[in-house]
Amino acid sequence: MDGILPVYKPVGITSFDVIRAFKRAVHPDFKVGHGGTLDPFADGVLLLLLGKATKRMNELSALPKTYRAMARLGAGSDTLDVTGTITPGVWEPIDPVVLGAAAEKFVGEIEQEIPDYSATKINGVPRYKLARKGEAMERKSKLVTIHNLVIEKVEGDTVTFTATVSSGTYIRQLSYDIFKSLGIESYLESLTRTRIGDFTLEQCVATEDMGAQIKQLTLGA
């Protein structure tokens, strides 16, 4: 069996947990890869690459990705998301017009700082492991592309937005930088990946249904 299976990854498990669940449901020795991981606190589209489709990992990982995110204002997090240590702060109402103008400045090719809590490695060690030990790290950044960024809703101390970005873009860093430009502390409360290339959330198979549905699916390699 060769092909690409879009799966819905729920909050609270890793991308590799989904792969392990697939192998338990189908066969423990089945060759499975993925087309780009999702953090445990995030949910949404995860592409499982089956059999010979694992050879397309680099190609599929490079596809643009779309996310829906909700940011919480007036507090900070050391991980820039809800999983970290939250530091309460002062929140003041934000003008949607001002926010929209600030967000527009991040559309296009930008230099994005790599978060301390990320899997990017320093001398073979992931940055997040060094961050957990409290070790100082040199600031690093990389070029990413924000193809589209839309503020959907401002409601009290939360802001919901969608963004279509190049591979390797950190949405929690993007969110943090937008609000930081306005002098506002924030962190990501939730994050959903709604699309990878032409693969959408609506096409996804539920993780718990993989075994039952795999025989009914025609997978496009």
Side-chain angles (χ1 to χ4, degrees):
M1 184 188 303
D2 306 311
I4 303 165
L5 178 64
V7 175
Y8 170 75
K9 187 199 84 68
V11 172
I13 65 173
T14 69
S15 301
F16 295 102
D17 287 335
V18 176
I19 290 175
R20 284 189 283 268
F22 179 88
K23 288 187 173 186
R24 285 196 301 270
V26 179
H27 195 283
D29 296 326
F30 200 94
K31 189 175 183 181
V32 186
H34 62 77
T37 61
L38 267 176
D39 287 340
F41 91 98
D43 68 335
V45 182
L46 177 69
L47 298 183
L48 294 191
L49 313 183
L50 312 180
K52 294 179 182 179
T54 55
K55 296 178 181 179
R56 299 179 61 187
M57 184 176 293
N58 290 340
E59 170 199 344
L60 294 166
S61 294
L63 291 173
K65 299 170 176 65
T66 301
Y67 297 87
R68 180 182 297 111
M70 186 177 78
R72 178 76 60 180
L73 311 184
S77 167
D78 55 354
T79 62
L80 306 184
D81 60 48
V82 70
T83 67
T85 300
I86 306 299
T87 304
V90 178
W91 170 78
E92 294 182 1
I94 185 170
D95 185 336
V97 175
V98 173
L99 175 57
E104 184 65 28
K105 295 177 181 178
F106 288 84
V107 176
E109 189 176 67
I110 63 171
E111 190 85 17
Q112 184 177 69
E113 186 173 305
I114 298 173
D116 286 343
Y117 286 85
S118 68
T120 302
K121 294 181 178 180
I122 299 177
N123 298 323
V125 181
R127 290 179 71 94
Y128 69 83
K129 290 189 175 181
L130 299 175
R132 287 172 181 168
K133 293 179 180 179
E135 296 188 20
M137 290 174 279
E138 181 183 357
R139 294 295 181 188
K140 294 286 186 179
S141 62
K142 61 179 179 178
L143 283 175
V144 299
T145 302
I146 313 303
H147 299 292
N148 187 46
L149 179 58
V150 177
I151 304 298
E152 290 189 345
K153 183 169 60 175
V154 178
E155 189 172 48
D157 62 350
T158 64
V159 174
T160 302
F161 66 91
T162 58
T164 299
V165 301
S166 63
S167 177
T169 302
Y170 293 97
I171 299 298
R172 52 198 162 97
Q173 185 69 51
L174 173 64
S175 179
Y176 174 81
D177 289 340
I178 291 170
F179 294 106
K180 183 181 178 182
S181 72
L182 296 172
I184 299 171
E185 282 295 312
S186 69
Y187 64 89
L188 272 196
E189 180 95 343
S190 65
L191 180 65
T192 299
R193 186 157 66 195
T194 60
R195 192 180 192 97
I196 299 178
D198 291 330
F199 298 93
T200 67
L201 197 58
E202 291 73 24
Q203 297 170 330
C204 288
V205 174
T207 304
E208 62 270 21
D209 294 338
M210 288 187 296
Q213 295 195 26
I214 190 66
K215 295 178 182 179
Q216 303 174 27
L217 295 174
T218 301
L219 304 177

